[in-house]
Amino acid sequence: MNIAVVKPTRRKLDLRNGRVDLSHGAGGRAMGQLIEDIFHTAFDNDWLRAGNDQSAFTVPAGRMVMTTDGYVVSPLFFPGGNIGSLAVHGTINDVAMSGAKPLYLSASFIIEEGFPLADLAKIADTMGAASREAGVPIITGDTKVVERGKADGVFISTAGVGILPEGIDMRSNAARSGDCVIVSGSIGDHGVAVMSKRENLEFDTDILSDSAALHTLTAAMVAVGGTSIRLMRDPTRGGIAATLNEIAHQSSVGFRIDEEKIPLKPEVAAACEFLGLDPLNVANEGKLVAVVAPEAADAVLAAMLAHPLGQEAALIGHVVEDPHCFVQMETSFGGGRIVDWLSGEQLPRIC
Amino acid sequence: MNIAVVKPTRRKLDLRNGRVDLSHGAGGRAMGQLIEDIFHTAFDNDWLRAGNDQSAFTVPAGRMVMTTDGYVVSPLFFPGGNIGSLAVHGTINDVAMSGAKPLYLSASFIIEEGFPLADLAKIADTMGAASREAGVPIITGDTKVVERGKADGVFISTAGVGILPEGIDMRSNAARSGDCVIVSGSIGDHGVAVMSKRENLEFDTDILSDSAALHTLTAAMVAVGGTSIRLMRDPTRGGIAATLNEIAHQSSVGFRIDEEKIPLKPEVAAACEFLGLDPLNVANEGKLVAVVAPEAADAVLAAMLAHPLGQEAALIGHVVEDPHCFVQMETSFGGGRIVDWLSGEQLPRIC
Amino acid sequence: MKYIDEYRDGRLAKDIARQISEEVRPDVNYHFMEFCGGHTHAISRYGLEDLLPDNVRMIHGPGCPVCVLPIGRLDAAIALAQRPEVTLCTYGDLMRVPGSNGSSLLKAKAAGADIRMVYSTLDALRIAEAEPHREVVFFAIGFETTTPPTALALRAAIEKGLENFSIYCNHVLTPAAIQTILASPEVAKLGTVKVDGFIGPAHVSTVIGTEPYDEFAENFRKPVVVAGFEPLDVIQAILMLVRQINEGRYVVENQYIRAVKPGGNRKAQAEVAEFFEQRESFEWRGLGDVPQGALRLREEYSHYDAEKRFGLVTPASKDNPACDCGAILRGVKRPTDCKLFGTACTPDTPMGSCMVSSEGACAAHWTYGRFREHAKTKEIERSVA
Amino acid sequence: MKYIDEYRDGRLAKDIARQISEEVRPDVNYHFMEFCGGHTHAISRYGLEDLLPDNVRMIHGPGCPVCVLPIGRLDAAIALAQRPEVTLCTYGDLMRVPGSNGSSLLKAKAAGADIRMVYSTLDALRIAEAEPHREVVFFAIGFETTTPPTALALRAAIEKGLENFSIYCNHVLTPAAIQTILASPEVAKLGTVKVDGFIGPAHVSTVIGTEPYDEFAENFRKPVVVAGFEPLDVIQAILMLVRQINEGRYVVENQYIRAVKPGGNRKAQAEVAEFFEQRESFEWRGLGDVPQGALRLREEYSHYDAEKRFGLVTPASKDNPACDCGAILRGVKRPTDCKLFGTACTPDTPMGSCMVSSEGACAAHWTYGRFREHAKTKEIERSVA
Amino acid sequence: MCLAIPVQVKEVLPDNMAKVTLDGVSKIVSTALVDDVQVGDYLVLHVGYALAKIDPEEAERTLELIREAALGEVA
Amino acid sequence: MCLAIPVQVKEVLPDNMAKVTLDGVSKIVSTALVDDVQVGDYLVLHVGYALAKIDPEEAERTLELIREAALGEVA
Ligand code: SF4
Ligand code: SF4
Ligand SMILES: [Mg+2]
Ligand SMILES: [Mg+2]
Ligand SMILES: [Mg+2]
Ligand SMILES: [Mg+2]
Ligand SMILES: [Mg+2]
Ligand SMILES: [Mg+2]
Ligand SMILES: [Mg+2]
Ligand SMILES: [Mg+2]
Ligand SMILES: [Mg+2]
Ligand SMILES: [Mg+2]
């Protein structure tokens, strides 16, 4: 028996000039092709190719963590990365900040009608590369298309799961008076890199986003610091000012930090002067803040300095008792000041 | 020592007339308050209240599944539910379709500036109720706010994880000639309920969305069917037409189904006549399609009929050998026809 | 569903089919053209051809307004929508129709043109009222059924003083097209297309009535049966045509008498006459220029005529040379005769308009009927093996 | 950063502070008003008050354009932005300023008003060019520094023929305000506010020069030192003021000589004079009506004047009665004197404009300095215990 | 293009509008093209407008004819 | 409102614009309010416009005065 199976010719997506249209989100063949040609190609793993609505994996008994973040960065492409690298790194980092080893990611795309297929492919390729480099595959995903004017290019929500080493149980309320505060490198690079390309703000600088997956750094830290690491946090939105204030309130402590010890690139400082911003409020995507028991601080810092992503790590201050939960900073000028959450959105100041 | 701690008065969110503004997404105190007053209140669990960037849980050794979906339904509120119930049910269902027991959810919100706080609270409350009813807590989340005109009210991406019973390993390519096709209840209810409230289409009907978490139904099915259940799928976007075509292509088989056996509410049929749609293409959110080995079909169907969410379950057809992977249907008129994917978006036809 | 379900009874259909088989003369081939896409859709959707004896053949006519729209006019609509000040309102059916060079309204929308899908002319009016700064153009296409709603929208726009509303009129006229088909060389002289009788339009006839068909029946000596769009309506109409042929009659009969009156809907006719007049000639895809084949806005309503308001020029239609739509619309070819059918051309990647509209012959066959070839192939293979 | 870092050397600051401590007369209290919010910000940001001897007290002046904008004019701007045809362009600083009844531009934007934050008047122009169907209004506020950029934008709009661009002018004049303060009963007669000298504006002075201050120094016998906004600039200016007092001098000195010329920037002054003229009187929040306290567009440019173009009426300002901004802006009270400070009123939930702008006295103290009270409380508690 | 369905009038509304229904689904449509619309009437509905009334007697007669044809009776 | 920073001119552009820089960060700004702008000049930049030139000698002299003051010398 030799039945001629005539199958529709699979026309290739026009990755040069094509655009996402509503049919790409409608659950039909056009959507299947978009997912296959762009996402499966970029993420390249058997979980996705199996085409199930969920993916399975094996875990040992123990404690796991789960996290999610939505990515809505504008512009989508910026020096040092794009929304895709953020969506991978950011969620890996949120897993890693617990001390866990990130295992798998999911990715949900919400795409605006008209979005260039070339840009979508570029973003997906970046995600694939970031996920492979980190060894954390994207095993399940979803694609929605909304009408023009109902989104902003593309939004990505990733979720991540990881497994915790035995005994590790970091909590945001674990900081205690006397603990050391360590930052893993220079602050504000990401926010400045993004703002440099924002419409109406455009300025030129060589600063790149610091977007990076920090799980190998945290693994190295946990290896030497173990339970002496009280907690770790990646200072993203709101910068280290927001992170320290959050920890202060969650742990009911205060901080004393030293401006001079905080790693800061001159170009970032200069860009902040241009924009009237405080680098402490500016977002990072490849940095972490760790609160470490004093006896382990040197070892943890040494482990960080020995890691490529912690070469500029620095001990920037200490946890203090403070019923007001103030984050106080000794300025390089010599005076004291409070470091507060930013109020409202981070906007260039005129005043 | 008695230091007077003057703390800022916490002004309550104006849940009656307030709106989300850009400061609610900026990582400062306003965001913290939004998250606390709306999401923590609605989802009500200690994981969220701990305020970490990720949440931890304990699992036994074994196989797990992970899934994600983005929810962009319009309108956000519709008869029988809202985007929040969908975001909980839909992701629980994608976990459950593997035969797994859903454990935890994450939720990522992308909110348009100006969205009424009252609506956000209503959506969050619905999610909280749906998650509690299902016994699947939302343990971690994220909130982003984008400028007016850059989203459509609110988008929600949820991810879910679950554990697989030992030995269960359903795959989309597992359907074999001779298998039975079972649908868990009447089709098209969700899509019709949503379209009935869509601008320019408005029509009146008592049809409610079927939005429901199906994991107790799938558990009952797996309990009697075990590995005889080849695969399960929830026929959401594209309806059962899309689901059957996907399975046919993934398993390289064909289907023969019988139109008369497919449960369909008269109002749904009527609404489809109004709109020029085929109910087979219309979305469901609380139904499943199962492909079951013939020897177990009766037992599985009986288990479904005994479950509140499967009372109208029906065996609607069989898997057949077919190199063309056609889904063929015997119509109630008596003739044969193909059931195809819908091309383009599901729009009311004039022709 | 009253007036629907009773006309979808498969057993009755089989009985009538048996009756047809009994009544047809074995030595005669019966060729009937269903003019309307609505009938084409019903025939494919319910597999009516399977029920008919081999010597009764249905020929799909050009009765799908989406299919007969010349590419040049679609291109003009796309260009119009691309103007920054214009909001183009269109029925959803047109969104995916391929224009020149792979364009379509769907792609133009994705690329930024303000194109809104509407369900009714009322929606287009509502948009024009709500957005007074936009130039809202209604992309009016359709037969005599959709023209009265366009006329009413225009009346309402004038009454409301909506200066930002206009109409890109592509309304076409059924009788003119039937006339052209019957007078065409293929039918009249060459005999390459044999048409022994017509199934006349269902809903078009609710508006124009049955009288306009009398002339053709008389002049061309062809029976016409106006029929509803449900499968029993169609099969009964076929029986009625067979009987006329057998009896040597050629009159207009009305199977759809529950909704169609001989004179049609006078009120709707008056609305149309108020605002529209016949064009001397209009291109129908497949049929070429059809004398009196379409309507345009009357001179006094030029202000609302998008063609005049925006100085639209209709580019010459560059049909895709590999697409056989034209021949299919004339009944000269069947979908499966097209080399692209089912390979390069599917509803997901349509190369021609007949593959877009569910009333198009290619789409109807693909969507509902394509398993038949394969079934036949199988039988052939089997008989060969 | 050249011209920045060298003026932020904390050791030098301490040395100068020591010098101030040595030079002040123990029996004299020195009260200096820094007019400018830029100085207020520097004093709080760098904790300069900690360095000064107890008998040198800084009084925060009204030099923050956001803080002195009357609520009525903000309300008018919000109402303007709510018009469907209007796009209001504003510097980001104004977004969170509370208007009447809990309103703000941020909330109006969230509720649908088309409000765009701009970094420069050039951005507002660009919007007007790109969106010719919108009425683009630039919400112009600021002192003599921001006025020339507004003038240039207006010149460009006229040259480009941008008919859809206009300006809601709230530009105010520094010398008039200093005059009003010095002549106020609190300073001049009642003595409830003691002002022994002024730190004069940095960047305002780059435009207007130092000459306008000569009159005050002379008439009111108060020394004025124009100073840069870096901390060393400020502390040196304080030393210069102490020395003038000690020496019984009252002249205008220029600490910021690297950027400020006696005559200022003539070109900028000419641009302003071309398009703007003095208002007879203008309400400054806290100071009340200030004669010649602000600018408006000249008659011949009324077309570009949003107040005229949209017939704006400025509602009477309903200041929040619990908010002490007014008194603080006059130097009569300090932020911590306000009952709402740090409880109901914080930068997240500002009750008054002084809590919004980082140059506002309340915001500067909250953001940088509020640990000091608590530190003092602690010391008191300790000494009591 | 000529998709149209039979609906029943439930309520006659001002401005030549009517609420019509099909099996529990109702919608407001224009009846401006049809004269003398009464509650209970069946209409042919197309793109939001009623194009014609359905004559119940003729509908019954058509069904009769169909049944007769099925039985092999010639009308 | 009067936030302004010292920037150096890197390139003079047409239409009274210039590319200015501060420690590796550069931006295009208007110099329409300042006469005779040259590459190498330092400007006070405010809301996208240069308001004044910075006089390097005066800047140096100010620093001298500050240093003297710190040493307790009266100018
Ligand atoms: S199959 Fe496609 S290309 Fe061929 S005639 Fe039909 S529409 Fe045209
Ligand atoms: S603390 Fe707030 S309410 Fe009190 S004066 Fe300052 S701004 Fe006004
Ligand atoms: Mg997270
Ligand atoms: Mg994060
Ligand atoms: Mg999905
Ligand atoms: Mg984090
Ligand atoms: Mg999923
Ligand atoms: Mg799903
Ligand atoms: Mg987050
Ligand atoms: Mg699913
Ligand atoms: Mg347009
Ligand atoms: Mg507005």
Side-chain angles (χ1 to χ4, degrees), chain D residues 80-87 113-114 134:
Chain D
L80 180 60
Q82 283 165 338
R83 296 197 189 203
E85 74 276 20
V86 167
T87 295
D114 184 4
R134 306 285 305 155

Short mmCIF file of all heavy atoms in Angstrom, two decimals, chain D residues 80-87 113-114 134, ligand 12:
data_model
loop_
_atom_site.label_atom_id
_atom_site.label_comp_id
_atom_site.label_asym_id
_atom_site.label_seq_id
_atom_site.Cartn_x
_atom_site.Cartn_y
_atom_site.Cartn_z
N LEU D 80 -6.68 71.17 32.81
CA LEU D 80 -6.28 71.33 31.41
C LEU D 80 -5.90 69.98 30.80
O LEU D 80 -6.33 69.62 29.70
CB LEU D 80 -5.10 72.32 31.34
CG LEU D 80 -4.53 72.64 29.97
CD1 LEU D 80 -5.59 73.25 29.06
CD2 LEU D 80 -3.33 73.59 30.11
N ALA D 81 -5.12 69.22 31.56
CA ALA D 81 -4.67 67.92 31.05
C ALA D 81 -5.85 66.97 30.84
O ALA D 81 -5.78 66.07 30.01
CB ALA D 81 -3.66 67.30 32.01
N GLN D 82 -6.89 67.18 31.61
CA GLN D 82 -8.04 66.28 31.48
C GLN D 82 -8.86 66.56 30.23
O GLN D 82 -9.72 65.76 29.86
CB GLN D 82 -8.92 66.38 32.74
CG GLN D 82 -8.30 65.60 33.90
CD GLN D 82 -8.91 65.96 35.24
OE1 GLN D 82 -9.50 67.03 35.39
NE2 GLN D 82 -8.77 65.08 36.22
N ARG D 83 -8.63 67.69 29.57
CA ARG D 83 -9.34 67.93 28.31
C ARG D 83 -8.90 66.88 27.30
O ARG D 83 -7.71 66.60 27.15
CB ARG D 83 -8.99 69.29 27.74
CG ARG D 83 -9.43 70.44 28.62
CD ARG D 83 -9.41 71.69 27.78
NE ARG D 83 -9.61 72.85 28.61
CZ ARG D 83 -10.07 74.01 28.16
NH1 ARG D 83 -10.38 74.13 26.87
NH2 ARG D 83 -10.23 75.02 28.96
N PRO D 84 -9.85 66.33 26.59
CA PRO D 84 -9.49 65.22 25.70
C PRO D 84 -8.49 65.61 24.61
O PRO D 84 -7.71 64.79 24.17
CB PRO D 84 -10.83 64.78 25.10
CG PRO D 84 -11.79 65.87 25.38
CD PRO D 84 -11.31 66.60 26.58
N GLU D 85 -8.51 66.86 24.17
CA GLU D 85 -7.66 67.23 23.04
C GLU D 85 -6.24 67.60 23.48
O GLU D 85 -5.36 67.79 22.64
CB GLU D 85 -8.29 68.39 22.26
CG GLU D 85 -8.23 69.76 22.91
CD GLU D 85 -9.34 70.04 23.93
OE1 GLU D 85 -9.94 69.05 24.43
OE2 GLU D 85 -9.60 71.21 24.23
N VAL D 86 -6.04 67.71 24.81
CA VAL D 86 -4.79 68.26 25.31
C VAL D 86 -3.78 67.19 25.72
O VAL D 86 -4.14 66.20 26.35
CB VAL D 86 -5.06 69.19 26.51
CG1 VAL D 86 -3.77 69.55 27.25
CG2 VAL D 86 -5.77 70.46 26.05
N THR D 87 -2.54 67.40 25.33
CA THR D 87 -1.41 66.64 25.85
C THR D 87 -0.58 67.61 26.68
O THR D 87 -0.09 68.61 26.16
CB THR D 87 -0.55 66.09 24.69
OG1 THR D 87 -1.33 65.15 23.95
CG2 THR D 87 0.70 65.42 25.21
N ALA D 113 -5.74 61.08 31.65
CA ALA D 113 -5.27 62.32 31.03
C ALA D 113 -3.95 62.04 30.31
O ALA D 113 -3.14 61.24 30.76
CB ALA D 113 -5.09 63.40 32.08
N ASP D 114 -3.76 62.71 29.19
CA ASP D 114 -2.54 62.50 28.41
C ASP D 114 -1.46 63.44 28.92
O ASP D 114 -1.39 64.60 28.52
CB ASP D 114 -2.85 62.75 26.94
CG ASP D 114 -1.66 62.44 26.03
OD1 ASP D 114 -0.62 61.97 26.55
OD2 ASP D 114 -1.76 62.69 24.82
N ARG D 134 -2.89 66.91 18.23
CA ARG D 134 -3.01 67.12 19.67
C ARG D 134 -2.68 68.57 20.00
O ARG D 134 -1.83 69.19 19.36
CB ARG D 134 -2.03 66.21 20.45
CG ARG D 134 -2.12 64.74 20.13
CD ARG D 134 -3.33 64.08 20.74
NE ARG D 134 -3.41 64.28 22.17
CZ ARG D 134 -4.56 64.23 22.87
NH1 ARG D 134 -5.69 63.98 22.24
NH2 ARG D 134 -4.57 64.42 24.17
MG MG G 12 -5.67 65.28 27.91
#
